[in-house]
Each structure stands twice: as C-alpha cells, then as structure tokens.
Amino acid sequence: MTRNEPKIDIKIRPIEKRDNAVIASIIRLVMTEFKAVGCGYSINDSEVDDMHTAYSPERSAFYVVELNGEVLGCGGFGPLKGADEHTCELRKMYFKSELRGLGVGTRLLNRCLQDATQAGFQHCYLETMDTMEQAQNLYGKHGFEYLDKPMGDTGHSSCGTWMARELKP
C-alpha cells in the first residue's frame, strides 16, 4: 500500500441488536437492486427487521461486515427448515456495492462454513437468484455444487438456483 492509498479496515463480527436497522436496510437495498422483490423472496421474511434475535438460537450465527467502521454487509447460517439436523442453510449474505470485489465474500463465507462445522453441521445448503452470477462463482470456488431442485422448506420459491456442499471437520 502506498502513502496515498486509503487504509481499508475490514471487520467481520457477530450481529448486535444495534445493527438490526442497518442490516434490514442492506438486505432490502440489495434485494431491490437484483429485482428480488415480491412473493417468494427473502426480502419478505419476518426476521429481516430483527436479525439479532432470529440468529440467537443455538446452532445459528449471523455476522455483519464493517468497512472502515461502517456496516456494509452481512451473512449467516442456521438449521435448514424441513431438513435433517445435519444440514444448515447459508442465509442472507448480502453486500452493498462498495464492499464487493474486496475479497470479503470469501472471508465471510469461510467464517460461516467454519462455524457451521463447529456447530455440528455436515452439509450446507443455499439458495440464490439466477442473476446473482458473482455470488454463484464465489460459492462454486468454495465447493458448492448445483442441485436440480430445492431442499428443505425455506419459503423462497422465487429463487431458481440451489447449491450445497459437504462440511468436513
């Protein structure tokens, strides 16, 4: 880094109650950017306004990503509804545009997968939009493979891309 380049300070930390409003706004902003609004999208999930409480149960975790002290992204995991106890779901991994392309997706994904493995999960599932090609590339680079149909009961019937991978301790 040269003297004239601004310092980039990226921090990933567990969500706190004070983060709820900014995380809800990020989720809604990114979902709207990708035209993922309406029935069958996670933008309508009741948990969006209180992610801190939604991810406080055992075997769940949710993280915020700060860039130079400003919260600009998020993501987490929890048990996959309607699946066996060994399968978790990667959930609501969204970044504002200024956070994209900095390698943060890899850092947050690795944190989620490591913590999910420590929580006893053996498989990780995710759903995404067909148009979220950057996200699909990230997941593919980290061992996720495409599935022919959805798993579990997420309620996100408008997502057309499903992926999963094995978690190894």
Side-chain angles (χ1 to χ4, degrees), residues 99-159:
L99 200 57
R100 299 177 199 154
L102 300 177
V104 180
T106 293
R107 287 178 57 185
L108 180 57
L109 181 59
N110 285 337
R111 172 89 182 254
C112 288
L113 296 175
Q114 179 182 5
D115 291 353
T117 301
Q118 289 177 350
F121 292 109
Q122 297 171 5
H123 300 94
C124 186
Y125 169 78
L126 65 86
E127 297 175 334
T128 191
M129 303 269 307
D130 297 341
T131 57
M132 292 184 165
E133 294 172 5
Q134 235 181 334
Q136 290 177 46
N137 289 337
L138 171 70
Y139 302 138
K141 287 178 186 175
H142 289 86
F144 283 87
E145 296 180 357
Y146 289 98
L147 303 174
D148 294 330
K149 60 183 181 179
M151 293 174 59
D153 182 22
T154 66
H156 303 150
S157 58
S158 294
C159 290

Side-chain angles (χ1 to χ4, degrees), residues 63-84:
Y63 306 97
V64 299
V65 181
E66 293 180 351
L67 174 63
N68 298 328
E70 183 180 358
V71 175
L72 297 175
C74 60
F77 69 90
L80 175 60
K81 291 180 189 172
D84 65 50

Side-chain angles (χ1 to χ4, degrees), residues 4-72:
N4 297 332
E5 290 181 26
K7 181 182 175 198
I8 296 177
D9 179 27
I10 297 172
K11 184 183 295 183
I12 298 172
R13 62 171 174 79
I15 191 170
E16 298 173 5
K17 192 164 190 63
R18 67 183 168 98
D19 299 314
N20 278 335
V22 70
I23 292 302
S25 72
I26 290 169
I27 292 169
R28 290 185 175 110
L29 175 78
V30 174
M31 296 296 288
T32 301
E33 175 186 347
F34 284 91
K35 298 175 180 34
V37 295
C39 189
Y41 292 109
S42 65
I43 193 172
N44 299 311
D45 292 352
S46 60
E47 68 185 26
V48 169
D49 288 312
D50 190 2
M51 299 296 283
H52 177 262
T53 300
Y55 288 83
S56 61
E58 195 174 325
R59 300 184 81 206
S60 296
F62 202 81
Y63 306 97
V64 299
V65 181
E66 293 180 351
L67 174 63
N68 298 328
E70 183 180 358
V71 175
L72 297 175

